[in-house]
């Protein structure tokens, strides 16, 4: 293994040479690795908030932060310093311990996901055999933070917002997990590093575009990004579950949210866009970090533009979209992909080696299957839309007709 | 013992992860002014004091969504090992999965037909 | 015979989580606090699965029990308004439930210990992790016609039935 791990091995050797017991040396290196992995998101989040504000400003034809530092780069630092000196208010009747625990859980659960992200072929916190499920499990702890934040604040809006948000997060977890089944099926592994290695011949976004889109949409909802930012909904429930939080505790919720959105893009890049794969990465593994960052940034930028351009959906629309569209499509997608995978295996088209040419036939067949799903869905959307339009036109015509009669009765000379 | 080593990393990560958000909050506690008073600490509900118990009763719809989610969650948990071993399965494995998912879909159709998926 | 290494420490920590959480569940009067203690307890159980080399089950434990069932319990608590303020720690059936719980504990303990250690404490089977190699084998066994394909399909049917039952009960309640 290369630098980090290599140097970690080196560190272990160094420490044992210096007279430290091997167990302690191992523990120290693990702690060092943890701090290293956890610092990456902490540093990125400072820039993320700046990028987010800049992009949102550009989309809305504004300038965005441009006063503090070059291009306003230090705006976030200034904000953080200001937040440090803000008075922290705990509402009367709040459940103090739980109230203080919620922002810590909110931030920690997002950092924890980074433990299984493969940055390069060699650099990964922990390459668990169930890495993908680890991510889903840790993300599902996120609902707990919202529940306890909303409940402990002793505020009806907070509780109402929390319940809505939990309903949203639970619902969108279903298409999220269902879409993750497809990379697992193709790769035959749940380890993150294994998934990236399996994409050596072909990125999964080409083999399973429907799953990739489902994953992206579900993640938008899981991270509470527009058009699914119902957990904020200032106009309805005044910021929802974190309404009573102020100072740095509020800041922890916000930083956690920004980081979660970025982490979701990162996961999309790892699972569907080939992770660290790129030209020359096998010779110089550190390049993988750059490729992964680039891919993540493209996904992230797309979600940012989406955030500043689309309106928020209503809660009933949100639920209908999930249960009546995303879940059935995801289930159908699993079945179609499963069938096509068996078919390609029976036809002998399953890739034997990990290069582009070997993966091509299977990819084309899977792509055609996905295309069929998309066509069926589009056709359904068109038919339903047309029926609704015709029903609306029919009622319009009926109402218009009676108005015509009234006009005719009221104005005989017309 | 490579596997144990990976999990040791996760264990240490879980033990340390809470420190990162805790430190800035602690810093804010040391730096920020603290002058609480009754009005400042009252709960914010558009200016009016909280009337009655905060614990309002919630509609049953939340619980139904929770139940549907739970059923799907458990089903997916069964499907993950199936998907993991899928490359080594034959058409029988596909049909076993098909029947399994068919029942799953059945439940969704039932909920749909009974209007359990409607928010209002 | 107790070796003092990282795994032993982890076991002790998880045991404290698990038992402490369980104790908290039955002693607190606040139902939301009880749910949080339950989450702690379940988290400890997930740790045991990791120590037993069953990471898949650990992830499932967190995903299903903490991510879904604990949340459902909170929903249920919120739905039943009369349950939100509990003044008495015990109700009239405490003796009966203590007896039932005690019997259940003995039965479960015997069910776990006898197959592994035998009645005389001599028969030690191989650990489960030696018999089943991993999650892939679980997946293969689930859809193998000589192994668990029937329970696999029945489980799906059972879940469907559970959901239909839940909807029927909940909807009737509403009308």
């Amino acid at each position: 293994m290369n630098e980090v791990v290599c140097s970690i091995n080196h560190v272990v050797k160094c420490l044992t040479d210096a007279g430290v017991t091997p167990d302690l040396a191992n523990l120290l290196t693990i702690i060092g690795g943890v701090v290293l992995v956890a610092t990456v998101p902490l540093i990125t989040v400072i820039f993320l908030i700046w990028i987010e504000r800049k992009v949102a400003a550009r989309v809305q034809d504004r300038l965005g932060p441009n006063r503090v530092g070059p291009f306003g780069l230090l705006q976030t630092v200034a904000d953080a310093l200001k937040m440090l000196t803000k008075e922290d208010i705990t509402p009367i009747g709040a459940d103090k311990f739980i109230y203080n625990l919620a922002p810590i859980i909110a931030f920690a659960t997002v950092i924890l996901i980074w433990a299984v992200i493969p940055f390069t072929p060699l650099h990964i916190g922990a390459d668990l055999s169930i890495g993908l499920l680890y991510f889903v499990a840790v993300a599902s702890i996120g609902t707990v933070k919202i529940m306890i934040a909303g409940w402990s604040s002793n505020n009806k809006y907070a509780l109402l917002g929390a319940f809505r948000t939990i309903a949203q997060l639970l619902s969108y977890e279903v298409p999220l997990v269902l879409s993750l089944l497809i990379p697992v099926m193709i790769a035959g592994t749940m380890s993150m590093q294994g998934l990236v290695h399996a994409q050596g011949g072909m990125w999964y976004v080409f083999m399973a575009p429907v799953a990739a889109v489902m994953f992206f949409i579900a993640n938008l909802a899981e991270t509470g990004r527009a058009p699914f930012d119902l957990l904020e909904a200032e106009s309805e429930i005044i910021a929802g579950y974190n309404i009573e939080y102020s100072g740095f505790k509020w800041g922890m919720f916000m930083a956690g949210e920004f980081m979660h959105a970025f982490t979701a893009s990162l996961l999309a890049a790892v699972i569907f866009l080939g992770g660290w794969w790129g030209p020359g990465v096998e010779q110089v593994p550190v390049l993988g970090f750059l490729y992964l960052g680039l891919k993540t940034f493209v996904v992230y930028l797309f979600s940012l533009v989406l955030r500043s351009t689309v309106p928020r959906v209503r809660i009933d629309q949100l639920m209908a979209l999930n249960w009546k569209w995303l879940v059935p499509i995801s289930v159908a997608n699993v079945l179609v992909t499963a069938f096509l995978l068996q078919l390609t295996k029976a036809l002998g088209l399953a890739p034997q080696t990990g290069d582009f040419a070997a993966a091509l036939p299977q990819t084309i067949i899977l792509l055609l299957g996905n295309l069929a799903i998309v066509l069926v869905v589009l056709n359904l959307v068109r038919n339903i839309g047309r029926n609704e339009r015709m029903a609306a036109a029919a009622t319009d015509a009926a109402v218009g007709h009676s108005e015509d009669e009234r006009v005719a009765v009221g104005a005989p000379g017309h | 013992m490579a596997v144990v080593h990976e999990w040791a990393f996760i264990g240490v990560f879980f033990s340390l992860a809470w420190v990162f958000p805790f430190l800035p909050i602690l810093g804010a506690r040391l730096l920020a002014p603290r002058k609480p008073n009754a009005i400042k600490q009252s709960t914010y509900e558009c200016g009016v004091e909280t009337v009655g118990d905060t614990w309002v009763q919630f509609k049953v719809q939340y619980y139904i969504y929770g139940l549907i989610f739970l059923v799907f969650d458990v089903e997916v948990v069964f499907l993950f090992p199936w998907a993991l071993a899928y490359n080594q399965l034959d058409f029988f494995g596909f049909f076993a999965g098909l029947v399994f998912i068919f029942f799953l879909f059945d439940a969704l159709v039932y909920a749909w037909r009974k209007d359990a998926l409607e928010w209002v | 015979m107790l070796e003092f290494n990282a795994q032993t420490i982890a076991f002790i920590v998880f045991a404290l989580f698990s038992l402490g959480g369980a104790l908290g569940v039955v002693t607190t009067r606040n139902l939301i606090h009880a749910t949080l203690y339950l989450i702690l307890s379940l988290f400890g159980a997930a740790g045991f699965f990791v120590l037993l080399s069953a990471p898949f089950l650990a992830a499932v434990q967190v995903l299903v029990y903490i991510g879904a069932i604990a949340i459902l319990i909170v929903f249920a608590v919120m739905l039943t308004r009369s349950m939100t303020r509990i003044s008495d720690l015990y109700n009239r059936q405490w003796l009966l439930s203590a007896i039932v719980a005690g019997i259940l504990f003995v039965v479960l303990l015997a069910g776990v210990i006898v197959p592994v250690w035998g009645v005389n404490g001599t028969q030690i089977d191989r650990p489960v992790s030696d018999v089943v190699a991993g999650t892939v084998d679980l997946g293969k066994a689930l859809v193998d016609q000589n192994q668990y394909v029937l329970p696999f399909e029945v489980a799906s049917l059972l879940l469907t039935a559970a959901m239909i039952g839940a909807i029927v009960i909940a909807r009737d309640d509403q009308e």
Side-chain angles (χ1 to χ4, degrees), chain B residues 40-51:
Chain B
K40 201 188 273 175
Q41 284 184 299
S42 59
T43 49
Y44 176 78
E45 277 181 25
C46 289
V48 182
E49 295 284 310
T50 303
V51 179

Side-chain angles (χ1 to χ4, degrees), chain A residues 172 174-182 185 210-211 213-215 218 322 325-337 373 377, chain B residues 101 104-105:
Chain A
Y172 277 81
V174 175
L176 180 85
V177 181
L178 281 173
S179 67
L180 285 179
L181 277 175
I182 290 170
M185 239 187 304
V210 173
V213 171
M214 290 293 142
F215 184 77
N322 180 63
W325 289 102
L326 298 186
V327 172
I329 294 171
S330 303
V331 172
N333 191 21
V334 170
L335 284 179
V336 169
T337 311
I373 297 175
V377 170
Chain B
I101 294 173
L104 169 87
F105 207 67

